[in-house]
Amino acid sequence: MFQNIKEIWLTISLKRKIGSFAVMVILVMGLSVAFNIRIMDFSLGSFNVILDDNSRCHDFQEAMELEIKAFEVYVRDRTQENRDEYVLACVRSERCLRSLPFDYERIGEERYARTWNVKNGYEGYCMARDQLLEMDSGSEDFIPRLYEIYDMQSYIQTYARRLVQVTLKEGNATYQEKVPVFCQLPYLILLFSAVMMVVALCLTKLLSSTLIDPLVKLAHTSRKIARNDFSSKDITVENKDEMGELVSAFNKMKHATEGYINTLKENNEMAELLHKEELEKMEMEKRLDATRLEVLKSQINPHFLFNTLNMIACTAKLEDAKTTERMIASMSNLFRYNLKTSEQIVALDQELKVVEDYMYLQQMRFGSRIGYECRIDVDARQVMVPAFTLQPVVENAIIHGLSRKEQGGRVFLKVWKDGNSVIISVADTGLGMDEETLEELVTALKNSHTAKMGIGLGNIYQRIQTMYQNGGLRIYSKKGRGTVIQMTIPQEEI
């Protein structure tokens, strides 16, 4: 029979297993609670009967004493207040009398006789008491009848005391009879609790063997697989439910994973080689960017240097040394900034100083043909920009835009804030470009064709794209109207 039950248990679903376990646990708990309630009812019920009987007898005795006192007061002084207290005492006595146990089979012969004496005596007493109160206190029979009432009250009190004594005696005897049973109750409760615990342990073991043990085996094998160890044997269970299907699927997955891991190892070796080549390529691109920056820093227009030095020599002959000193100082600043600045990001005011020195030299060269205006709407000391950004753009404006124009022109530099970014605009009134040339230049910027766009502007474009996610460089130009180079430099804090 046990084998049949085990077979049925192994074939039912996990949901039904858990439901059956829950029902059995609830049944065990219910039996335990019902047993404890029954024990408590047995214990407390016996005590309650004894205490209730004693309390009722004592209540009648106390009510009778209060009635006698109220009667004496009312007989001496028949005021309305005394009458109210007397009536209330009589009502209480009658209520307590009616509540006395008067079931022969339950209270026994002696208590029944004592109770009958009290009830019968009280009825005769009530009739005599009421007749006395209706008599005139000055009547000759009043005093003898009054003493008869007192005697009847004394008899009733005596009956009540005897009833209390008999009730206490029988209650004590009943308690003594049940004391041995009460002494056995803790052992009985302990025995029943032990039985329930054994049943609960058996149910738990049954559930554990069909649910927890397979999960433990799966977890153990999974940890070995996580360490890339597939040497463990396939898991075997007796379950024919969802757990059995899970174990079977797990064994298949283990074999499939082992084959997949071996394939991955081979692919991983190939991927490592490709990754190594990618890292080398990235390192080369970094070096190329650094080289471009160094090329830009070292780029100096020989024609510009020659004309400038010519101008310095002529000026030194024709005028005072102050202008020559200023030109030499500006030239020195340009050389110093190009050769000694190693940071990739500098404050905007450093770039502006370089542009001012460069424009001073150009204005000394071209005279009134070249004009320069600058408007800065941000704190140049707080704004950070890529190094060597402004001077190459201004130089392009002069070389390609203004120097080829007979009447010259002007360069406008403007910086303003737009949200979390700074916009730098360099505009000139030079020759400009037609749409086809402008489109070729923009395409060359995007495709990094330095041959078509020049090292300076292309380097600036590439550095802005690399250093800032939302940065950018735009070119606007019109033939005969001029060109505008606009750079967007994001700022973390402005």
Side-chain angles (χ1 to χ4, degrees):
M1 179 178 179
F2 178 79
Q3 187 65 28
N4 293 334
I5 295 176
K6 183 178 180 181
E7 289 293 331
I8 295 174
W9 176 259
L10 291 173
T11 55
I12 63 176
S13 65
L14 292 178
K15 184 175 181 181
R16 294 184 62 184
K17 280 188 175 71
I18 295 175
S20 302
F21 179 80
V23 170
M24 288 185 285
V25 170
I26 293 172
L27 181 61
V28 170
M29 293 176 62
L31 290 174
S32 179
V33 171
F35 178 79
N36 290 328
I37 291 175
R38 180 58 181 163
I39 293 297
M40 291 177 62
D41 182 69
F42 173 78
S43 303
L44 297 178
S46 301
F47 283 113
N48 287 338
V49 171
I50 296 172
L51 294 175
D52 185 67
D53 289 349
N54 292 337
S55 176
R56 291 171 185 249
C57 294
H58 182 267
D59 289 343
F60 173 75
Q61 185 181 15
E62 184 179 5
M64 194 63 203
E65 290 176 359
L66 293 175
E67 180 184 341
I68 291 173
K69 291 180 181 179
F71 176 79
E72 290 177 356
V73 173
Y74 179 64
V75 168
R76 287 195 302 268
D77 185 11
R78 298 195 180 189
T79 62
Q80 183 62 35
E81 181 180 358
N82 291 339
R83 176 175 174 80
D84 293 339
E85 291 182 0
Y86 162 73
V87 172
L88 183 61
C90 292
V91 172
R92 180 183 178 187
S93 298
E94 293 175 1
R95 185 176 66 250
C96 292
L97 181 63
R98 288 193 300 269
S99 67
L100 289 175
F102 200 55
D103 185 0
Y104 182 85
E105 295 181 358
R106 189 174 75 83
I107 64 178
E109 181 180 357
E110 187 175 3
R111 279 181 63 189
Y112 184 86
R114 297 298 182 188
T115 305
W116 184 87
N117 289 336
V118 171
K119 288 180 174 290
N120 189 51
Y122 189 81
E123 289 178 2
Y125 158 74
C126 288
M127 293 177 59
R129 177 196 65 192
D130 294 338
Q131 291 175 2
L132 175 68
L133 293 177
E134 291 175 0
M135 294 176 60
D136 185 9
S137 59
S139 173
E140 294 180 354
D141 295 334
F142 182 81
I143 297 300
R145 296 287 298 276
L146 178 60
Y147 281 100
E148 289 178 4
I149 297 300
Y150 287 158
D151 291 337
M152 295 175 72
Q153 291 176 346
S154 178
Y155 292 148
I156 293 173
Q157 285 184 308
T158 301
Y159 295 151
R161 283 194 297 272
R162 291 177 180 175
L163 178 60
V164 171
Q165 291 174 357
V166 172
T167 303
L168 290 174
K169 180 181 178 182
E170 291 185 1
N172 184 56
T174 303
Y175 173 76
Q176 292 299 327
E177 290 177 0
K178 294 185 178 182
V179 164
V181 179
F182 294 151
C183 293
Q184 297 297 324
L185 287 179
Y187 301 102
L188 186 60
I189 294 174
L190 181 61
L191 178 61
F192 184 83
S193 299
V195 172
M196 292 296 103
M197 289 177 63
V198 170
V199 173
L201 287 175
C202 292
L203 293 175
T204 303
K205 185 177 181 181
L206 179 62
L207 185 65
S208 176
S209 63
T210 56
L211 182 61
I212 305 301
D213 291 346
L215 288 177
V216 172
K217 293 179 181 179
L218 285 172
H220 178 70
T221 307
S222 298
R223 285 192 290 268
K224 295 184 69 175
I225 292 175
R227 296 192 298 268
N228 202 22
D229 181 7
F230 295 88
S231 61
S232 59
K233 297 181 179 180
D234 289 349
I235 302 173
T236 57
V237 295
E238 297 180 353
N239 297 50
K240 299 177 183 178
D241 53 7
E242 295 91 336
M243 184 59 67
E245 296 175 358
L246 176 62
V247 169
S248 178
F250 180 84
N251 291 330
K252 294 179 181 178
M253 183 181 67
K254 184 186 74 170
H255 295 298
T257 303
E258 184 178 8
Y260 181 70
I261 291 296
N262 294 331
T263 304
L264 283 179
K265 286 181 179 179
E266 297 175 358
N267 294 337
N268 188 48
E269 294 176 358
M270 184 68 69
E272 287 180 357
L273 293 175
L274 294 175
H275 182 64
K276 185 177 180 180
E277 293 179 1
E278 186 69 23
L279 290 177
E280 292 176 354
K281 182 179 179 182
M282 292 175 62
E283 184 65 25
M284 291 180 63
E285 289 180 357
K286 289 182 180 179
R287 292 178 182 176
L288 180 59
D289 290 339
T291 303
R292 287 175 178 173
L293 179 60
E294 293 299 326
V295 170
L296 177 64
K297 289 167 62 176
S298 62
Q299 180 189 8
I300 299 174
N301 190 323
H303 185 67
F304 165 71
L305 288 177
F306 176 79
N307 290 335
T308 302
L309 291 175
N310 244 351
M311 229 18 241
I312 293 173
C314 294
T315 304
K317 293 179 181 180
L318 298 175
E319 63 181 20
D320 195 44
K322 291 182 180 181
T323 303
T324 304
E325 183 181 359
R326 169 71 186 278
M327 293 174 66
I328 294 174
S330 299
M331 196 65 179
S332 299
N333 290 337
L334 286 173
F335 278 118
R336 186 182 299 110
Y337 188 76
N338 277 273
L339 297 176
K340 293 187 178 182
T341 301
S342 59
E343 296 86 3
Q344 290 195 8
I345 299 178
V346 298
L348 177 62
D349 61 346
Q350 295 185 32
E351 287 288 297
L352 292 175
K353 289 177 182 178
V354 172
V355 172
E356 289 177 0
D357 290 331
Y358 177 80
M359 288 305 301
Y360 175 76
L361 294 174
Q362 293 292 355
Q363 286 174 336
M364 294 301 299
R365 173 188 172 191
F366 293 100
S368 60
R369 289 181 58 206
I370 301 296
Y372 172 67
E373 293 182 15
C374 180
R375 178 179 175 181
I376 309 300
D377 295 332
V378 297
D379 188 352
R381 293 170 299 179
Q382 299 296 325
V383 173
M384 305 300 291
V385 298
F388 306 102
T389 302
L390 298 185
Q391 188 268 336
V393 176
V394 173
E395 183 177 356
N396 278 347
I398 293 176
I399 293 175
H400 301 290
L402 302 181
S403 63
R404 300 177 183 179
K405 194 175 182 179
E406 184 177 351
Q407 66 271 29
R410 305 184 68 82
V411 176
F412 300 90
L413 174 61
K414 183 178 180 181
V415 183
W416 71 92
K417 178 183 175 183
D418 183 14
N420 290 329
S421 300
V422 165
I423 309 301
I424 302 175
S425 175
V426 178
D428 64 76
T429 59
L431 298 176
M433 293 177 283
D434 55 25
E435 293 182 2
E436 183 178 353
T437 305
L438 177 60
E439 186 175 351
E440 290 179 358
L441 179 60
V442 172
T443 303
L445 280 175
K446 293 180 179 179
N447 297 328
S448 302
H449 292 163
T450 56
K452 295 182 179 181
M453 61 183 174
I455 296 177
L457 189 61
N459 185 281
I460 294 171
Y461 176 84
Q462 291 296 328
R463 283 194 293 141
I464 292 177
Q465 292 293 324
T466 303
M467 296 171 63
Y468 303 102
Q469 182 178 1
N470 298 319
L473 185 148
R474 296 183 179 181
I475 304 175
Y476 306 92
S477 184
K478 227 172 201 184
K479 185 72 174 178
R481 300 291 298 274
T483 303
V484 177
I485 306 295
Q486 191 175 90
M487 294 171 282
T488 302
I489 311 295
Q491 302 288 305
E492 292 182 358
E493 290 186 27
I494 300 178

